[in-house]
Amino acid sequence: MSELGMILLRTVLIYFVVFLVMRFMGKREIGKLSIFDLVISVMVAEIAVIVIEDTKVPMLHGIVPMLALMLIQVGLAFVALKNRKIRILFDGKPSVIIAKGKLNRKVMAKQRYNLDDLLLQLRENQISAVSDVEFAILETSGKLSVFEKEQNEQQGQNQQSQQKEQHQQTKQHQQTKQKGKQNKQEEITFPSKFRYEILPIPLIMDGQIQEENLAKLEKSHFWLKHQLRQQGVGEVKDVLLCTVDHKGRLFVDKGRRKR
């Protein structure tokens, strides 16, 4: 048999071997890859490539290690079903990224999970703003499970924010009468040429002003710092995340430690 025919035969045989190995490992391999599962899958793939490419290597030298890896995976999976400590050791534990509408900065740093990843996965879950999230849990598979706030709770918060805004407007109106000036509260307006739809626009991430987004809004640093002062924030570096939605609502999470 020619070398090309030998490679073709080995490819077909290894394909069925790998297919059976992955099949016996269970559907868990397809739906979710933990670190342990990923290591096993990569090793099986590497062994298969070596056996296919090097025709001088006996087929059994590839099949036996793959079967051994399958037995290790199946055996540990069976033990993990009975022992939660083993499951945690190999799969890890879910991490709470958002709790009661607040970002957990320490957990995000520990998992090396940045704000861009968070906003991306929130959009995938049809969430327009961090303030609408009650809990967000980063699963061991890397998927973000999101639990929205109850509608009545959101309405209550909206009413409180409206009452606060009305109180601020009344106070400013009184100050205007006393000083004889017309200092109305600045409203957040968007340029007509730029559409935001329902996506929140990050203005500050990790204590850094997002210059590009601020320029698209046609706003200045002075305007942003003024908005932060209204939220009780003195320094930009103290802000973990600041976003604005299409309705002009500002969300500020003061999660950064003061330097």
Side-chain angles (χ1 to χ4, degrees):
M1 183 180 293
S2 64
E3 184 176 357
L4 182 60
M6 181 64 69
I7 293 177
L8 180 60
L9 178 61
R10 283 171 171 259
T11 302
V12 174
L13 291 176
I14 292 298
Y15 166 77
F16 284 106
V17 172
V18 173
F19 174 80
L20 292 175
V21 168
M22 300 301 290
R23 184 66 183 85
F24 278 112
M25 284 184 182
K27 295 181 179 179
R28 182 169 174 263
E29 300 301 318
I30 300 174
K32 185 201 73 170
L33 284 178
S34 65
I35 297 177
F36 179 69
D37 299 330
L38 180 61
V39 171
I40 293 292
S41 300
V42 170
M43 291 184 67
V44 169
E46 289 294 328
I47 294 171
V49 170
I50 293 173
V51 174
I52 292 173
E53 287 185 343
D54 193 350
T55 56
K56 295 180 181 179
V57 177
M59 290 285 292
L60 285 178
H61 287 191
I63 295 176
V64 171
M66 285 191 284
L67 292 178
L69 290 173
M70 181 192 71
L71 292 176
I72 291 173
Q73 196 279 340
V74 173
L76 287 176
F78 180 77
V79 174
L81 288 175
K82 307 294 182 180
N83 192 320
R84 187 171 184 269
K85 292 182 179 180
I86 298 297
R87 289 200 303 271
I88 294 175
L89 177 63
F90 285 99
D91 294 338
K93 295 190 297 184
S95 303
V96 179
I97 301 297
I98 301 176
K100 297 182 179 179
K102 295 292 182 181
L103 295 175
N104 195 328
R105 179 174 176 267
K106 292 182 179 180
V107 174
M108 292 179 67
K110 183 179 179 181
Q111 298 297 328
R112 293 173 292 280
Y113 186 80
N114 58 53
L115 292 172
D116 292 307
D117 294 332
L118 175 63
L119 295 177
L120 170 64
Q121 292 193 304
L122 287 179
R123 291 194 294 268
E124 290 177 346
N125 283 277
Q126 308 300 318
I127 302 297
S128 62
V130 178
S131 57
D132 296 334
V133 178
E134 180 69 18
F135 287 98
I137 302 174
L138 184 64
E139 307 293 352
T140 56
S141 62
K143 179 182 178 182
L144 189 70
S145 299
V146 180
F147 301 89
E148 294 186 69
K149 291 182 178 179
E150 296 292 338
Q151 187 175 2
N152 55 1
E153 181 181 352
Q154 291 184 10
Q155 291 177 351
Q157 291 182 351
N158 291 336
Q159 290 177 357
Q160 289 179 0
S161 63
Q162 289 176 359
Q163 291 175 357
K164 185 177 180 180
E165 289 177 0
Q166 291 175 357
H167 178 72
Q168 290 178 349
Q169 290 176 355
T170 302
K171 185 176 180 180
Q172 288 181 354
H173 184 63
Q174 292 174 352
Q175 292 176 351
T176 301
K177 286 184 177 181
Q178 292 174 357
K179 295 180 180 180
K181 297 180 181 180
Q182 295 180 349
N183 294 328
K184 296 182 179 179
Q185 185 179 12
E186 181 183 3
E187 295 181 356
I188 302 177
T189 58
F190 298 131
S192 58
K193 63 182 180 180
F194 199 87
R195 290 183 60 83
Y196 289 88
E197 302 300 337
I198 62 172
L199 300 180
I201 305 302
L203 300 180
I204 301 175
M205 297 178 71
D206 294 315
Q208 298 293 326
I209 296 176
Q210 303 301 298
E211 302 288 351
E212 182 180 355
N213 293 337
L214 199 62
K216 289 178 179 178
L217 279 172
E218 298 180 358
K219 301 296 182 181
S220 64
H221 284 205
F222 177 79
W223 171 86
L224 181 57
K225 291 179 180 179
H226 175 67
Q227 296 295 326
L228 292 177
R229 284 195 295 270
Q230 289 186 343
Q231 299 286 335
V233 180
E235 297 291 337
V236 173
K237 65 182 181 181
D238 297 330
V239 179
L240 177 62
L241 176 64
C242 174
T243 62
V244 62
D245 61 14
H246 70 296
K247 294 183 179 180
R249 295 177 300 181
L250 209 68
F251 170 79
V252 179
D253 189 282
K254 297 173 284 188
R256 291 184 61 84
R257 296 177 180 174
K258 294 184 179 179
R259 297 176 183 176

